[in-house]
Amino acid sequence: MSAQPAHHRILLKLSGEALMGDDAFGINRATIVRMVQEIAEVTQLGVEVAVVIGGGNIFRGVAGGAEGMDRATADYMGMLATVMNALALADTMNKQGLTARVMSAIGIQEVVEPYVRPKALQYLEEGKVVVFAAGTGNPFFTTDTAAALRGAEIGADLVLKATKVDGVYSADPKKDPNATRYTSLTFDEAMVKNLGIMDATAFALCRDQKLPIRVFSIFKPGAFKRVVLGEDEGTLVYA
C-alpha cells in the first residue's frame, strides 16, 4: 500500500537562483528538468501544486547596469525576470507531461494570462500546476511575500520554501560544524531567534493566517516528495 500525502494543496516557493545550477546566472537546463521531474512525482500523488518563482538568476545578469537605479524601476525589472522564469518552468513542465498554466500579477496578456483567483483555483482542481509570476505586482514586495499571499489566497495547506540548505539551523552550517537543524519551530520562536526564514512581511502574513512554512533543500533528491508525505525533512514553522 503506497503512502498517502500529508497535504492536499501546496505552494512551492522557488528562488530564481535555484534554476541556475552551477551557472553564474540564467537557467541551467538539467537543473530545471530535475526540479520539474520532482514536481511531477508529487502531482502523481494527487497533490495540487502551485509555484511562485523568483527572478534573481535573470536579474543577476543585468545587476551591474541596475546599480543606482530607482528601487521601483528595479523591482519592475525583477518582476519581468520572474515571468521569464515562469515561462521556462511551465514549458519544461508541459514537455515532461504536466499541464502548467502561468498567471501574472502584472498585465501582459499577449504572453501569459493575468492572475485571477477563481481561475487559479479551477486550474488546481483540474490537476494543472499553476505558476504565479511577477510577485505581488507591486514594487517593494518580495516573492516571499507573493508566496505567502498566494498561498493564503488559494487555501494552501503548506508553503514550501525551497532553498540550498536542508532546513533552518541554529547557525550557518557552512561556518559552524556544531550547528543543529531545527525539526520544527513556532513562528514566535523563529522571530525571537531572528532566524530570517522569510522577509518580515511574508512571515507575518503566514503567521497571521496560520499558514505553516516548511524550509527544505530543493537540491536534495527526493526531499520534495518526502516533505509532501509528511516525513522528517527540513524544518516546519507553525503557529
Side-chain angles (χ1 to χ4, degrees):
M1 183 173 170
S2 60
Q4 292 299 307
H7 305 283
H8 170 65
R9 179 178 291 166
I10 59 172
L11 189 292
L12 174 64
K13 166 59 172 60
L14 276 177
S15 69
E17 286 80 2
L19 304 182
M20 296 191 313
D22 294 326
D23 299 339
F25 57 85
I27 298 168
N28 182 283
R29 179 68 184 168
T31 299
I32 197 171
V33 168
R34 182 187 60 76
M35 287 182 184
V36 166
Q37 288 171 343
E38 297 222 357
I39 292 170
E41 284 187 8
V42 167
T43 62
Q44 288 163 10
L45 297 172
V47 178
E48 297 174 5
V49 179
V51 181
V52 166
I53 185 80
N57 59 317
I58 303 294
F59 196 72
R60 186 175 293 190
V62 296
E67 189 173 342
M69 186 178 289
D70 177 79
R71 167 66 189 275
T73 300
D75 281 359
Y76 280 118
M77 289 175 65
M79 288 180 217
L80 293 174
T82 72
V83 175
M84 294 170 69
N85 280 339
L87 288 169
L89 191 62
D91 181 74
T92 306
M93 287 179 179
N94 290 326
K95 284 182 168 62
Q96 293 291 321
L98 293 168
T99 303
R101 293 288 184 269
V102 178
M103 306 189 90
S104 171
I106 55 176
I108 40 175
Q109 285 89 334
E110 292 81 5
V111 183
V112 293
E113 62 184 290
Y115 168 67
V116 178
R117 180 175 174 269
K119 195 72 175 176
L121 292 171
Q122 178 187 327
Y123 286 150
L124 289 169
E125 289 162 2
E126 291 171 351
K128 297 178 173 70
V129 178
V130 181
V131 184
F132 296 121
T136 67
N138 302 286
F140 308 105
F141 290 93
T142 68
T143 48
D144 274 355
T145 299
L149 177 63
R150 296 291 181 249
E153 286 182 303
I154 66 171
D157 305 317
L158 181 69
V159 170
L160 290 177
K161 179 161 183 179
T163 68
K164 293 182 178 180
V165 184
D166 65 338
V168 180
Y169 281 76
S170 57
D172 186 343
K174 291 181 179 179
K175 298 177 181 177
D176 184 352
N178 297 316
T180 55
R181 176 176 66 88
Y182 294 106
T183 302
S184 63
L185 288 161
T186 66
F187 282 102
D188 290 341
E189 286 171 338
M191 290 178 75
V192 168
K193 295 177 188 292
N194 195 29
L195 294 172
I197 294 166
M198 280 184 162
D199 73 75
T201 304
F203 201 73
L205 181 54
C206 286
R207 182 193 61 191
D208 293 347
Q209 296 300 314
K210 294 181 171 54
L211 178 57
I213 304 165
R214 188 174 284 274
V215 181
F216 76 107
S217 172
I218 193 66
F219 294 98
K220 188 176 177 182
F224 185 28
K225 185 176 181 180
R226 287 193 293 274
V227 166
V228 171
L229 290 173
E231 297 180 18
D232 177 21
E233 187 70 52
T235 301
L236 178 67
V237 186
Y238 63 96

